[in-house]
Amino acid sequence: MDVNIDPSWKAHLEQEFKKPYFKQLVQFVKQEYSQYTCYPKGKDIFAAFDHCPFQETKVVIIGQDPYHGPNQANGLCFSVKDGIAHPPSLVNIFKEIKVDVEKPYPKSGNLERWADQGVLLLNATLTVRAHQAGSHQNKGWEQFTDAVIRTVSEQLDGVVFLLWGGFAKKKATLIDKGKHHILTSGHPSPLSANRGLWFGNQHFSTTNDLLSKLGRQPIDW
């Protein structure tokens, strides 16, 4: 099956695209996009991979679902398009960055600038029906994105995985802890952050310290 994804990833995921579950997933997604408004736009479904070539992946951040409001989702977890109001979780991410690495709060919530530096911003489910959170869960996307995490773990070295919240933390079982660094904290959503589980985690400075020790370029958050 020909999937329009960055060639560096295609080489590592080709076998996944041939599996029956993925073929069924593609049929489901095509049907949903033909019948309903879905996000992100078709060309952005694999944007996380297109902005972050496989061999350049240094950091992985795992989200759950794309945003399901108009013009929000751009294929990168937690990210929104330029000019779109920042959702609450993204606001809290930027607040932590401001304190942690003393970087001003940005105007744009578009995180393509992170992805282009080697941050894989991976949602577990890559599509969603408009205004229906979780509507494309348990259709095969999770099997695919788990395979992505396993592939990164097996084929690369010294990647920093940021697992925020209970859902993301479960992905730790897919990661070789002997080869990679795993940082965990509460989710940046207000529900978690306001209970003291997010702010002060210093994940952004810690990530850069780890990358520097590995001789890799830190991320300009």
Side-chain angles (χ1 to χ4, degrees):
M1 178 170 292
D2 189 43
V3 177
N4 190 17
I5 193 172
D6 180 85
S8 68
W9 286 96
K10 183 173 274 192
H12 290 277
L13 298 172
E14 197 73 67
Q15 294 308 308
E16 234 25 62
F17 299 144
K18 295 176 181 176
K19 292 180 180 178
Y21 89 86
F22 195 86
K23 293 177 181 178
Q24 291 169 5
L25 171 63
V26 169
Q27 291 307 311
F28 167 76
V29 170
K30 283 181 177 177
Q31 182 78 17
E32 284 284 298
Y33 273 71
S34 68
Q35 278 190 284
Y36 306 98
T37 299
C38 296
Y39 302 118
K41 289 182 178 177
K43 66 180 179 60
D44 292 332
I45 291 173
F46 294 106
F49 304 90
D50 297 334
H51 282 276
C52 179
F54 180 79
Q55 66 279 0
E56 293 175 25
T57 303
K58 299 187 287 192
V59 180
V60 177
I61 299 177
I62 298 173
Q64 193 160 359
D65 248 20
Y67 296 121
H68 53 83
N71 300 315
Q72 288 183 303
N74 68 349
L76 311 177
C77 71
F78 296 105
S79 174
V80 291
K81 295 179 181 179
D82 293 318
I84 299 297
H86 301 176
S89 291
L90 187 57
V91 169
N92 287 338
I93 288 170
F94 287 149
K95 284 181 177 177
E96 176 61 22
I97 288 171
K98 186 177 179 181
V99 174
D100 185 23
V101 295
E102 299 179 344
K103 191 172 174 66
Y105 191 101
K107 285 183 180 177
S108 174
N110 191 335
L111 302 182
E112 287 177 1
R113 60 185 182 274
W114 294 3
D116 292 337
Q117 297 176 75
V119 182
L120 180 65
L121 294 160
L122 183 67
N123 273 318
T125 301
L126 299 188
T127 56
V128 69
R129 197 187 293 182
H131 310 298
Q132 294 187 36
S135 48
H136 288 186
Q137 289 177 5
N138 303 314
K139 302 296 182 182
W141 276 131
E142 295 91 342
Q143 188 172 341
F144 170 69
T145 52
D146 279 0
V148 169
I149 295 166
R150 273 195 298 268
T151 300
V152 170
S153 176
E154 290 166 6
Q155 302 294 328
L156 296 175
D157 291 301
V159 175
V160 183
F161 289 84
L162 306 183
L163 308 183
W164 301 336
F167 177 84
K169 288 175 186 175
K170 290 176 184 172
K171 303 299 181 181
T173 58
L174 305 171
I175 303 162
D176 183 341
K177 298 166 188 64
K179 292 172 63 183
H180 305 285
H181 300 279
I182 301 175
L183 304 181
T184 63
S185 83
H187 196 275
S189 68
L191 187 67
S192 174
N194 294 341
R195 285 166 39 217
L197 302 175
W198 165 257
F199 292 116
N201 67 20
Q202 299 182 323
H203 276 193
F204 305 97
S205 61
T206 304
T207 295
N208 281 350
D209 287 344
L210 290 168
L211 292 174
S212 294
K213 286 173 184 172
L214 291 165
R216 311 184 82 176
Q217 185 70 24
I219 307 299
D220 179 6
W221 301 107

